[in-house]
Amino acid sequence: MTDVESAVALDLAGLQALVDLLAAEGYTVLGPTVRAGAVVPGRVTTVDDLPRGWGDTQEPGSYRLRRRDDEALFGYAADAISWKSVLFPSRELMWSGTRTADGFSITAGEGSGGLGDPPYAILGIRACDLHAVAIHDRVLQERALPDVHYAARRKDAFLVTVSCSDPSGTCFCVSMGTGPRAESGFDLALTELLGDEHTFLARAGSERGRTVLDRLGSRPAADGEVVAADEVVERSTRRMGRTMDTTDIRTLLYDNADHPRWDDVASRCLSCGNCTMVCPTCFCTSAEDHTSLAGDTAEHWRVWDSCFTSDFSYLHGGSVRSSTKSRYRQWMTHKLASWIDQFGTSGCVGCGRCLTWCPVGIDITEEVAAIRADPRPTAEQTPIEQTPIEQGGGG
Amino acid sequence: MPVDVADPATAAADALLPRPFRVVANRRETSDTVTLELEPLDGDGLAFAAGQFTMLQAFGVGEVPISISGDPARPGLLVHTIRDVGGVTRALCAAEVGDVLGARGPYGRGWGVSDARGGDVVVVAGGIGLAPLRAAVLEVVRARSGFGRVHVLYGARTEDDLLFGDDLEEWAAEPDTEVAVIVDRAATSWPGRVGLVTELVRAAAFDAPRTLALVCGPEVMMRFVGAELTARGVPASQVRLSLERNMRCGVGLCGHCQLREYLLCVDGPVLSLDAVRPQLGIREL
Ligand SMILES: Cc1cc2nc3c(=O)[nH]c(=O)nc-3n(C[C@H](O)[C@H](O)[C@H](O)COP(=O)(O)OP(=O)(O)OC[C@H]3O[C@@H](n4cnc5c(N)ncnc54)[C@H](O)[C@@H]3O)c2cc1C
Ligand code: SF4
Ligand code: SF4
């Protein structure tokens, strides 16, 4: 798959040169960093900011950093916090307003991120997360009325992906067709090689990626390096922590909306919403209005929301989804089935974060497998329920 | 707010900002419901199709979806009929003449009233559900000869909860138009019918295969009415329901209004019964 002619090799100095070049070009350079016992997005000025020698152990309900016995910079699986936190931050000012003699005047909020201002260069974004960005492009940007704040941060982002060399116990990107190596959607793609020499096989995925590579003074990759890079990817492919069979998954989940497994998962799920917060594609938001004490200025904020809260589906009189069963079903069915109808793609990229960060270790792959093993399609129900009619609501 | 129309990014940003509208009338309909008439402070009115809604904002309090209950032929006047059920709707209902509210839209897919041309129209409303249907009936009445028989079938909790009394009388005076009202509970003095709106559907005379039915009310009422209409022979594809879900943005970005594959704010709120029958049969979907 790798285009041998265009593949080049960078050493550690070359990687530092890449960081320097991107910074000089005006990018805010971000990458994986170790903070609070986890690999999370952070500012990167030198390669020493990267998680050198750190790996991770991830299982449902558990995440642990571990010391590697090598000097790998990208030897962990998926970052604990996805790049959603940068491109689509958890709080955003949509507008602020001031009362005037004539009513009020409104000023659009200016988007900015917690890790500095765009344009961003993101170093080390995984193939699964690159797919998640492509999904957000579709969901937030390629719309009749797009999310302009997302679009502004996304517009010039320079994406440097790094193939996964050590997937975790919760990874299943291979099942979702998203990894472990990115095939498109990046400016540069690196594969880390830890042989006698510590090198990075690099390919360009865009014109500006090619320009950057040309300016780095890299050397053409040796045949052996190209083969070694392919082996890294093949090894990762074989070592996925999990699998998910996605055959006809849309029909499977639609037809099994009343499967007893939903009650089973509901008996374990805490409805805490962790899964939606860590998921790189979950995009649901709410609105918050704040006003000054005197009421003459106001702010309208957009904040991440979760379909696991009761407020989420609230209509006067009560929540549409009051049971945990209905909320888990909504979340999983949206990710894996209705997302396909809405946006032409799955909403799951197999990053494994929802498994890892679920306090009770609920595993989306296991929930799908349980329904698939014993399907109980609901016969189409008549839309009649013998409950009294209260004619007051609606609208 | 400087608007650079040449810049698509600016135009897109402005599309999500509320525009100021001045309240020019606040009419009390019932003890908990008012009709507001609004005029834009900054230019043109909102051209809209019957059944569409706006995100209506009380400054500093919040923003909620409210159907447009006015006449689609008079886009200069934005008319909303609002029931006070919580924080934002209370503030909206309390707006006085001269106050300024924010609105953005119109959003969503409306009734598609013109699809009924040449056939009969059956409008079935429950409670505040008559608000978006008022716009549809006004559209039909303006082109009355283009449609066959017209029924407006309206159920409310009590006599005191009836909306648009003057309109109901005017519509009843139109040729070949029947307006029927029924209430859940009544004082002994109420001369009209007591019961469920489905009874009105059962009693109405219309040419079912050539009927377009427009239904809005509580979801359970719409399910019963949908079943009754299809039992009478109206094809499910010609029964249209306006569905309600929590909506925070109105433009398909916030994810709140999902009904399985639908984002109701953009795919709806009006959808045909055949498109939503399986979904409405599943509890808590
Ligand atoms: C398409 C559509 C059309 C509708 N048309 C009409 C209509 O024509 N007439 C009508 O009366 N109703 C209509 N409704 C219903 C109306 O939108 C709700 O009654 C309204 O949202 C209730 O809001 P509330 O704040 O008054 O009530 P609440 O029950 O207090 O709140 C409802 C939701 O708003 C949130 N909320 C409350 N205050 C704030 C705040 N300050 N900031 C942010 N969020 C807040 C709550 O968290 C809750 O999720 C329509 C609904 C839809 C979906
Ligand atoms: S659903 Fe879970 S595995 Fe899939 S993308 Fe979201 S967090 Fe990752
Ligand atoms: S599945 Fe796990 S993370 Fe998600 S809401 Fe339930 S308990 Fe929380």
Side-chain angles (χ1 to χ4, degrees):
Chain A
M1 233 166 288
T2 306
D3 181 352
V4 178
E5 277 173 10
S6 65
V8 302
L10 300 175
D11 56 11
L12 279 176
L15 191 66
Q16 181 63 54
L18 172 63
V19 172
D20 293 341
L21 178 62
L22 291 170
E25 290 284 307
Y27 291 103
T28 296
V29 184
L30 306 176
T33 58
V34 171
R35 203 159 20 96
V39 176
V40 295
R43 295 289 285 259
V44 171
T45 47
T46 82
V47 293
D48 294 330
D49 295 326
L50 298 167
R52 185 196 300 263
W54 286 107
D56 55 22
T57 306
Q58 300 191 38
E59 289 299 333
S62 106
Y63 177 100
R64 210 154 30 79
L65 282 187
R66 74 185 144 80
R67 268 286 167 205
R68 298 177 59 92
D69 53 15
D70 59 31
E71 294 286 291
L73 299 180
F74 301 96
Y76 58 93
D79 322 47
I81 296 176
S82 84
W83 294 100
K84 171 171 92 170
S85 60
V86 171
L87 295 174
F88 186 64
S90 59
R91 295 182 63 79
E92 183 127 66
L93 179 65
M94 302 306 280
W95 52 259
S96 52
T98 315
R99 270 194 203 283
T100 62
D102 219 18
F104 54 80
S105 75
I106 297 276
T107 315
E110 297 208 352
S112 72
L115 288 176
D117 292 328
Y120 300 114
I122 297 179
L123 180 61
I125 185 168
R126 297 303 193 190
C128 58
D129 285 343
L130 210 50
H131 275 263
V133 170
I135 290 171
H136 269 185
D137 289 353
R138 176 74 193 81
V139 171
L140 299 171
Q141 193 165 264
E142 294 157 23
R143 300 296 294 279
L145 287 172
D147 177 335
V148 291
H149 299 279
Y150 174 81
R153 275 186 298 265
R154 174 70 177 94
K155 189 162 157 268
D156 295 315
F158 190 99
L159 302 176
V160 183
T161 180
V162 180
S163 309
C164 266
S165 58
D166 202 353
S168 83
T170 57
C171 290
F172 56 103
C173 61
V174 170
S175 298
M176 305 314 287
T178 61
R181 170 164 66 190
E183 302 299 340
S184 62
F186 52 82
D187 294 291
L188 289 179
L190 309 182
T191 304
E192 185 169 27
L193 299 174
L194 297 157
D196 302 335
E197 259 185 288
H198 192 171
T199 54
F200 298 85
L201 187 95
R203 305 177 276 153
S206 67
E207 268 312 307
R208 46 183 198 162
R210 162 65 41 209
T211 309
V212 164
L213 272 194
D214 288 347
R215 288 175 56 193
L216 283 180
S218 51
R219 62 165 171 82
D223 286 353
E225 287 168 325
V226 173
V227 172
D230 286 345
E231 278 171 6
V232 166
V233 174
E234 277 156 32
R235 215 168 38 242
S236 295
T237 304
R238 286 196 304 272
R239 289 178 49 225
M240 282 291 115
R242 281 176 157 64
T243 59
M244 183 191 285
D245 177 0
T246 59
T247 317
D248 291 332
I249 196 160
R250 183 179 157 280
T251 318
L252 180 77
L253 296 183
Y254 282 3
D255 287 355
N256 284 280
D258 280 319
H259 196 284
R261 184 71 186 191
W262 301 118
D263 294 307
D264 182 284
V265 68
S267 71
R268 290 171 279 135
C269 173
L270 311 174
S271 211
C272 67
N274 270 15
C275 47
T276 57
M277 297 294 122
V278 296
C279 179
T281 70
C282 274
F283 63 88
C284 289
T285 55
S286 190
E288 275 178 11
D289 287 88
H290 302 293
T291 177
S292 60
L293 267 184
D296 46 3
T297 62
E299 291 181 342
H300 187 77
W301 288 79
R302 182 199 67 193
V303 297
W304 285 0
D305 202 357
S306 170
C307 54
F308 281 93
T309 70
S310 65
D311 247 15
F312 189 87
S313 63
Y314 185 82
L315 292 177
H316 64 90
S319 297
V320 173
R321 296 183 206 103
S322 54
S323 68
T324 299
K325 166 189 167 174
S326 66
R327 294 184 202 160
Y328 189 87
R329 179 181 64 191
Q330 163 61 25
W331 178 69
M332 190 169 110
T333 306
H334 188 216
K335 290 275 102 164
L336 298 171
S338 36
W339 206 296
I340 299 171
D341 281 319
Q342 292 166 2
F343 304 112
T345 159
S346 176
C348 174
V349 298
C351 71
R353 290 187 181 91
C354 58
L355 289 70
T356 298
W357 296 100
C358 174
V360 293
I362 291 171
D363 173 350
I364 190 171
T365 69
E366 192 185 320
E367 297 311 316
V368 171
I371 291 176
R372 193 180 286 286
D374 178 23
R376 312 266 184 93
T378 325
E380 195 180 307
Q381 303 184 354
T382 69
I384 286 292
E385 255 185 284
Q386 294 308 319
T387 46
I389 300 181
E390 169 69 26
Q391 301 190 124
Chain B
M1 170 179 37
V3 178
D4 176 3
V5 284
D7 176 3
T10 311
D14 288 341
L16 292 181
L17 299 180
R19 285 174 53 195
F21 282 75
R22 188 177 305 288
V23 178
V24 294
N26 179 334
R27 264 198 316 279
R28 181 147 291 281
E29 299 277 354
T30 70
S31 62
D32 63 3
T33 304
V34 306
T35 293
L36 298 181
E37 295 184 355
L38 302 137
E39 282 175 0
L41 281 185
D42 66 348
D44 294 340
L46 299 181
F48 70 98
Q52 285 193 298
F53 66 95
T54 73
M55 293 299 292
L56 196 59
Q57 185 234 356
F59 188 77
V61 182
E63 197 182 38
V64 291
I66 301 288
S67 304
I68 305 176
S69 61
D71 185 347
R74 290 186 65 196
L77 197 64
L78 179 64
V79 183
H80 282 301
T81 302
I82 306 158
R83 181 169 169 225
D84 170 0
V85 297
V88 181
T89 48
R90 176 152 314 153
L92 293 171
C93 286
E96 291 171 10
V97 171
D99 284 355
V100 175
L101 300 175
R104 55 189 179 88
Y107 297 134
R109 289 180 192 227
W111 295 110
V113 170
S114 58
D115 295 346
R117 280 182 175 272
D120 293 351
V121 186
V122 176
V123 169
V124 190
I128 187 76
L130 189 57
L133 284 165
R134 178 175 185 265
V137 177
L138 291 173
E139 185 175 340
V140 169
V141 164
R142 270 192 186 271
R144 183 64 195 83
S145 59
F147 301 86
R149 264 167 293 181
V150 175
H151 291 275
V152 177
L153 312 177
Y154 177 30
R157 281 173 302 185
T158 72
E159 172 188 6
D160 293 334
D161 293 305
L162 290 170
L163 303 174
F164 310 130
D166 297 346
D167 292 316
L168 294 173
E169 272 177 38
E170 276 179 36
W171 299 339
E174 291 283 330
D176 223 1
T177 304
E178 192 209 340
V179 175
V181 173
I182 196 162
V183 296
D184 288 352
R185 313 178 280 280
T188 43
S189 60
W190 166 248
R193 305 181 63 154
V194 178
L196 303 177
V197 76
T198 40
E199 292 171 27
L200 300 180
V201 177
R202 216 167 294 139
F206 48 85
D207 180 8
R210 293 177 57 252
T211 288
L212 186 71
L214 311 176
V215 188
C216 186
E219 207 160 294
V220 60
M221 166 270 187
M222 291 198 281
R223 281 190 270 146
F224 276 95
V225 168
E228 186 63 41
L229 286 163
T230 48
R232 286 284 307 275
V234 182
S237 59
Q238 289 163 224
V239 176
R240 294 184 184 164
L241 315 177
S242 181
L243 295 162
E244 180 182 357
R245 285 292 181 274
N246 191 310
M247 292 180 185
R248 291 355 261 298
C249 75
V251 298
L253 292 171
C254 80
H256 277 255
C257 65
Q258 291 177 69
L259 180 64
R260 207 172 68 186
E261 65 268 46
Y262 299 115
L263 291 162
L264 286 181
C265 66
V266 289
D267 299 325
V270 178
L271 282 162
S272 67
L273 178 61
D274 60 336
V276 293
R277 191 147 43 179
Q279 292 84 336
L280 294 186
I282 300 167
R283 266 176 203 282
E284 293 193 81
L285 198 68

